[in-house]
Amino acid sequence: MGFHDWWVQLVLKCVSSVNYTITHEAREMGPVVPSRGLRQGDPLSPYLFILCAEGLSVLIRKYESNQLIKGIKICRAAPSISHLFFANDSYLFCNVDDSDALNLMELLQVFQEASGQKVNLMKSLVVYSSNVTRSCRDRVCQILQEIIKDFERSFSIYWWGIKENTNSGISWMNWERLSKHKVAGGVGFRDFRDFNLDLLGKQGWRLMNHPEKLSSKLYKARYFPECHFLASELRNNPSFIWRSIWEARSVIKAEARWKIGNGAKIGILGQPWLQDSVNPCIMSEIIGLNDATVSSLMIDDGGGWDHEVIEDLFNTRDQRYILAIEIRGCGRDDELYWNESISGDYTVKSAY
């Protein structure tokens, strides 16, 4: 980065001169001289952290200037962006081809050897634009080591007793067959994509059940300001996190149910409030009720359903299910519950 050698040696002395003495039962042990790392509480630490991050930034820009990796442009007149840093989170951009992917891995290896900081592939992921083909994605994932495929491959190798670099062991079934339930002819291993979707479903469940939380307010204001989460749409330019949570909406929608109190929280259309295991939503085609709540179907004192309104608006099927619901009283709030658990709370296990 162009620092004078004298200055570099001075900083290294500050980092390497530290030693510790451990006191245990009135006995002192030490000194312990750490071989790397920064002193805890050292005022130099945040500055050196920034220097390391800047060193990575310089390395990325060097690779980009040498055309080894190519950043992205949001439009033709915009500057190219090769990386974004947020505290200890890093976003790196490149073309989806073998050359850029290999150069990106080489870049990270150089930085690792220089700084001792290694990329945690367990916590890393790859995101593609919508026009990238599946074959291209799989090839680049293999170069970048995306982790779920490696998990499945490792489990499969262990299960069949296959030893690396040998021909011993036979894969009698593929992973897709192994991950099926036992009653369906599988072994019952977890499908990692489905399991991850169920984990995301828990975040969607929190958005619905804790609207007072800051994160819930932000997501609602940005992505579904005029409707409920279950009726939300992906909309334009969704963030990766919102796209992931929204993807799990179908999981929640399958078994989420409303327990009716005063009906003020529940929209008449698009909400699972009927006691039908196949389709708990209203099936009647009605115009003009998009913003109406279930409370509008009750008589004023909350003592029961308004039979006349219900018979005018809904088909026979919907009428039957609505009138079969017992109203718990206008003074109680509506409650969302998970139909697959005894407690009524969403669990990843039951969703899976």
Side-chain angles (χ1 to χ4, degrees):
M1 292 179 62
F3 289 103
H4 194 280
D5 186 62
W6 174 86
W7 188 89
V8 173
Q9 296 305 318
L10 180 64
V11 172
L12 286 175
K13 285 181 181 179
C14 292
V15 174
S16 59
S17 62
V18 64
N19 61 74
Y20 302 98
T21 301
I22 301 173
T23 303
H24 177 65
E25 295 182 349
R27 295 174 55 194
E28 289 190 351
M29 294 177 285
V32 178
V33 181
S35 60
R36 64 177 185 172
L38 303 178
R39 224 181 300 208
Q40 187 174 5
D42 193 319
L44 271 179
S45 296
Y47 298 100
L48 294 176
F49 179 85
I50 293 172
L51 281 177
C52 286
E54 183 61 24
L56 176 58
S57 181
V58 170
L59 186 62
I60 295 171
R61 289 199 297 269
K62 180 179 178 181
Y63 269 68
E64 188 180 21
S65 65
N66 292 337
Q67 299 294 308
L68 297 175
I69 61 172
K70 303 173 188 65
I72 62 170
K73 290 186 176 183
I74 59 174
C75 62
R76 289 187 178 181
S80 175
I81 300 175
S82 58
H83 60 288
L84 294 172
F85 292 163
F86 300 93
N88 62 340
D89 290 328
S90 305
Y91 295 80
L92 278 66
F93 305 98
C94 67
N95 276 3
V96 186
D97 57 44
D98 293 6
S99 177
D100 270 33
L102 287 168
N103 290 331
L104 185 61
M105 293 300 290
E106 180 190 51
L107 180 159
L108 294 173
Q109 183 64 30
V110 170
F111 178 71
Q112 176 186 328
E113 293 174 359
S115 67
Q117 298 185 47
K118 184 178 181 180
V119 174
N120 189 343
L121 293 175
M122 294 285 288
K123 297 182 179 179
S124 303
L125 52 86
V126 186
V127 182
Y128 301 93
S129 60
S130 57
N131 60 344
V132 179
T133 63
R134 170 56 60 185
S135 60
C136 191
R137 294 185 185 202
D138 290 342
R139 191 171 64 254
V140 170
C141 278
Q142 187 175 6
I143 296 173
L144 298 178
Q145 303 170 37
E146 196 166 17
I147 197 69
I148 286 180
K149 292 293 185 184
D150 289 339
F151 272 142
E152 293 180 349
R153 190 179 301 111
S154 298
F155 275 114
S156 182
I157 289 173
Y158 175 79
W159 178 255
W160 298 117
I162 300 173
K163 296 180 180 179
E164 294 185 8
N165 303 321
T166 68
N167 293 323
S168 63
I170 301 175
S171 296
W172 295 102
M173 293 184 185
N174 60 27
W175 183 260
E176 184 179 355
R177 178 78 179 275
L178 289 172
S179 62
K180 287 184 177 180
H181 196 277
K182 293 177 183 178
V183 298
V187 183
F189 290 160
R190 281 178 175 169
D191 181 281
F192 288 106
R193 186 190 179 280
D194 289 345
F195 185 61
N196 184 59
L197 204 63
D198 299 325
L199 288 169
L200 290 166
K202 195 161 190 176
Q203 305 306 316
W205 185 259
R206 286 173 179 169
L207 291 181
M208 296 189 296
N209 281 272
H210 299 283
E212 76 285 354
K213 300 289 187 183
L214 178 60
S215 57
S216 301
K217 291 179 180 178
L218 291 174
Y219 277 108
K220 182 169 181 60
R222 176 66 178 86
Y223 294 111
F224 52 102
E226 300 174 354
C227 65
H228 192 267
F229 171 72
L230 294 179
S232 62
E233 297 180 356
L234 197 56
R235 307 184 71 171
N236 295 327
N237 299 320
S239 69
F240 174 73
I241 297 176
W242 169 247
R243 185 190 294 272
S244 301
I245 296 175
W246 188 87
E247 191 75 20
R249 187 187 60 139
S250 58
V251 176
I252 302 173
K253 206 169 184 177
E255 296 298 336
R257 300 290 187 272
W258 278 107
K259 188 178 292 183
I260 297 176
N262 55 24
K265 292 182 180 179
I266 311 171
I268 293 176
L269 303 180
Q271 296 274 3
W273 59 281
L274 302 181
Q275 300 302 314
D276 182 2
S277 59
V278 178
N279 183 4
C281 298
I282 291 292
M283 296 181 66
S284 303
E285 296 182 3
I286 310 169
I287 300 174
L289 289 181
N290 292 333
D291 299 324
T293 61
V294 172
S295 60
S296 62
L297 303 178
M298 301 176 185
I299 55 180
D300 293 338
D301 59 2
W305 297 109
D306 190 327
H307 288 250
E308 186 177 344
V309 172
I310 292 171
E311 291 171 2
D312 287 343
L313 292 175
F314 303 102
N315 61 31
T316 304
R317 176 262 184 189
D318 291 343
Q319 291 180 35
R320 185 175 71 254
Y321 280 114
I322 294 172
L323 297 175
I325 299 173
E326 181 181 353
I327 298 178
R328 301 186 298 158
C330 61
R332 304 181 66 174
D333 288 336
D334 304 309
E335 295 179 11
L336 194 67
Y337 69 96
W338 180 248
N339 201 37
E340 286 295 318
S341 67
I342 298 174
S343 65
D345 291 327
Y346 178 97
T347 64
V348 175
K349 182 180 179 180
S350 65
Y352 185 81

